[in-house]
Amino acid sequence: MGDIGPKFGFEAKDNGYAIFNHVSIPRTNVLSRYLEVEANGDVNQKGNPLVLYSIMMFTRVQVTSSAGFLLAKAVLIAARYAIVRTQFRNDRDKEGKPIERRLLDYQTHSQRIVENLANLFVMQLTMRSIYKLYDQMINKIQKKQNFSLMAPMHTILAGLKSLFCHLGYEGVKTMRECCGGAGFHKFAGFGLILSGVSPLVTLEGDSVVMNL
C-alpha cells in the first residue's frame, strides 16, 4: 500500500493505492449490497445499479455548489479591498481638496466585481433549487423505485457543473487580479481559494466533456 503524494488543491482527498498478489477474500467479507459472488464464481446483480449513480450525482451537486461558495469568498475579499484601496488623486473631497479615488469608484474595476457578484447570486439561487430537485429524485427512488427524474437531473447537472465550475474558477482568478499585488499575499487568502476551486473543473466530470 502507498500514497500517491501531495496534490495541487483538493488536499482533503487522500489518494493512495493497494496491490494484492495471491490474496483470497472470503465471500462473507465482500461488500455485496448490489453485487453478489456465488461460490462457483458467478456474479449476480442485486437491485438497480442506477442507485449507485444517484450517489455520484450528489457528489456532483456538492462540487457544483462549492464553486459558488469559493467564488463568494473571493468576491468578498476583492470588494472589501476595492473599498479601502485608493489610487490616483483625481477626486475631491467636500472642501475641494484633491483626494485619491477608491478602486470601486472606477467603472472598469467595479464592473469586474459586479459581474462576478451577479454570477454568484445566480449560482447560489440555482443550487438551492438543485438540492430540492435532488431530494425529490431520491425520495421517489427510495419510496417507489421511481427513477424518472434521474435522466433530466443528469442533464441539468452536467450543464451546471461545467458552467458553474468554469465561472467559479475564472471568477476567483479575476478577483485575485482585482487586488493587484496584494492578491498574491498569503494573508489575502486567495492561495487557499484557488487551490480549492482549481480542481473543480476536472474532478467528477471534466467541464469540457460535461459541456458537450
Side-chain angles (χ1 to χ4, degrees), residues 43-88:
V43 178
N44 298 321
Q45 181 177 290
K46 299 189 299 182
N48 196 318
L50 290 177
V51 174
L52 295 176
Y53 186 70
S54 68
I55 299 173
M56 190 209 74
M57 290 176 70
F58 182 67
T59 304
R60 187 169 289 171
V61 171
Q62 291 180 310
V63 168
T64 307
S65 180
S66 297
F69 172 74
L70 293 169
L71 178 59
K73 296 176 70 174
V75 169
L76 178 61
I77 295 171
R80 286 176 171 175
Y81 182 79
I83 292 174
V84 299
R85 177 71 165 90
T86 60
Q87 196 169 22
F88 305 123

Side-chain angles (χ1 to χ4, degrees), residues 9-10 33 43 59 84-85 88 91 96 98 104 124 129 178 184 199 207:
F10 204 40
R33 184 175 181 179
V43 178
T59 304
V84 299
R85 177 71 165 90
F88 305 123
D91 204 356
L104 195 62
Q124 296 284 29
S129 298
C178 284
F184 284 100
S207 292

Side-chain angles (χ1 to χ4, degrees), residues 109 112 170 172-181 183-184 190:
H109 191 90
R112 300 173 78 188
E170 295 297 332
V172 170
K173 291 195 299 181
T174 300
M175 293 302 94
R176 199 278 305 159
E177 293 170 1
C178 284
C179 292
F184 284 100
F190 283 107

Side-chain angles (χ1 to χ4, degrees), residues 64 126-127 130 155-166:
T64 307
T126 300
M127 292 313 299
I130 292 300
T155 303
I156 294 171
L157 265 182
L160 290 180
K161 198 274 180 185
S162 174
L163 176 62
F164 285 3
C165 290
H166 173 76

Side-chain angles (χ1 to χ4, degrees), residues 113-153:
I113 296 178
V114 172
E115 283 180 355
N116 282 279
L117 180 62
N119 289 339
L120 171 60
F121 273 105
V122 172
M123 294 165 71
Q124 296 284 29
L125 293 175
T126 300
M127 292 313 299
R128 289 185 183 182
S129 298
I130 292 300
Y131 272 107
K132 292 179 181 179
L133 182 60
Y134 180 84
D135 288 339
Q136 293 176 15
M137 182 190 75
I138 291 299
N139 286 332
K140 282 191 173 185
I141 292 175
Q142 293 177 342
K143 295 179 180 180
K144 303 178 181 179
Q145 287 294 299
N146 186 338
F147 294 85
S148 61
L149 288 178
M150 180 164 285
M153 186 69 179

